[in-house]
Amino acid sequence: VSPYDPSAPFMGSGEGWKIHLGNAGLVAWTAALYVLGTKITFPMLFALYVVPQLITNMWLVSITYLQHTDAEIPHYDDGDWTWLRGALATVDRSLGPLLDYKLHHIVDSHVCHHMFSSMPFYNAVEATPYIKAALGKYYVQRGSGLTDFLRALWTNVGLCQAVHGKGVLQFVTEADDDVVAPFVVRFGTSEAE
């Protein structure tokens, strides 16, 4: 399935024009960048456009990855996934007061965002302590600054490798040759914990 295909199965009836419009926008932007590159040189275009895009996307991917990946966060398969389980399978992480503020608190109030996605970010900060109290042991919070964030990124990339389990995608936390010991938290499964 391609997001550039107007006949993709996720598209509703009569919505293919949106894909055509998006594709036309991508072609127009690529052409505009080419013209700009011919005017200011392609190395300058790379320095002024491509490098900042790579840095921005690196942060977006890193933040999104760490909001949804932790050794204590299960990932459910189709049979066990519910909206609430999906909403709770996330982590609040702080990048420190300045970066949390600059990023509109999406990193340190992400659980709230999952549970109440239409809530404005400025209310999510106020709601987060109440959600934390209501969820108790099911609320996951990590880190207290940029150093903890970068340490978690390094650790989780090496530690959290998805493997199929019974009812959830479990993360490998220890591997010794042929022995794999998954660590998983199961919320309300019928199997013995």
Side-chain angles (χ1 to χ4, degrees):
V1 176
S2 171
Y4 306 107
D5 179 5
S7 62
F10 56 81
M11 293 302 297
S13 176
E15 292 185 325
W17 68 271
K18 294 177 183 179
I19 298 294
H20 287 299
L21 185 62
N23 290 343
L26 289 172
V27 169
W29 184 245
T30 302
L33 289 174
Y34 176 79
V35 170
L36 182 61
T38 61
K39 303 286 186 203
I40 66 170
T41 75
F42 286 100
M44 183 64 74
L45 177 67
F46 186 84
L48 295 176
Y49 181 76
V50 176
V51 171
Q53 280 288 87
L54 290 173
I55 292 168
T56 299
N57 288 325
M58 181 272 307
W59 276 107
L60 286 172
V61 169
S62 298
I63 288 168
T64 304
Y65 173 74
L66 285 180
Q67 288 170 332
H68 303 99
T69 307
D70 190 87
E72 292 187 31
I73 298 296
H75 288 239
Y76 300 96
D77 65 15
D78 291 345
D80 287 325
W81 186 89
T82 64
W83 173 84
L84 183 58
R85 285 179 171 179
L88 293 179
T90 188
V91 181
D92 278 350
R93 296 182 187 274
S94 175
L95 289 171
L98 177 63
L99 287 175
D100 287 345
Y101 171 77
K102 293 299 284 180
L103 295 171
H104 302 288
H105 294 279
I106 192 59
V107 182
D108 63 327
S109 64
H110 198 69
V111 173
C112 181
H113 164 74
H114 268 241
M115 296 185 73
F116 306 102
S117 58
S118 62
M119 180 185 293
F121 70 89
Y122 46 83
N123 290 336
V125 174
E126 185 179 342
T128 293
Y130 297 102
I131 291 170
K132 181 179 180 178
L135 293 178
K137 70 178 184 175
Y138 298 112
Y139 176 81
V140 181
Q141 183 177 24
R142 297 279 186 268
S144 60
L146 182 58
T147 303
D148 287 341
F149 183 87
L150 295 173
R151 186 178 299 118
L153 183 61
W154 177 264
T155 302
N156 285 351
V157 166
L159 187 66
C160 297
Q161 301 171 22
V163 295
H164 284 281
K166 295 180 181 177
V168 296
L169 291 175
Q170 300 175 342
F171 287 118
V172 175
T173 57
E174 294 178 18
D176 183 22
D177 295 330
D178 297 331
V179 180
V180 175
F183 176 86
V184 66
V185 176
R186 295 175 189 251
F187 300 114
T189 60
S190 58
E191 296 179 25
E193 296 188 24

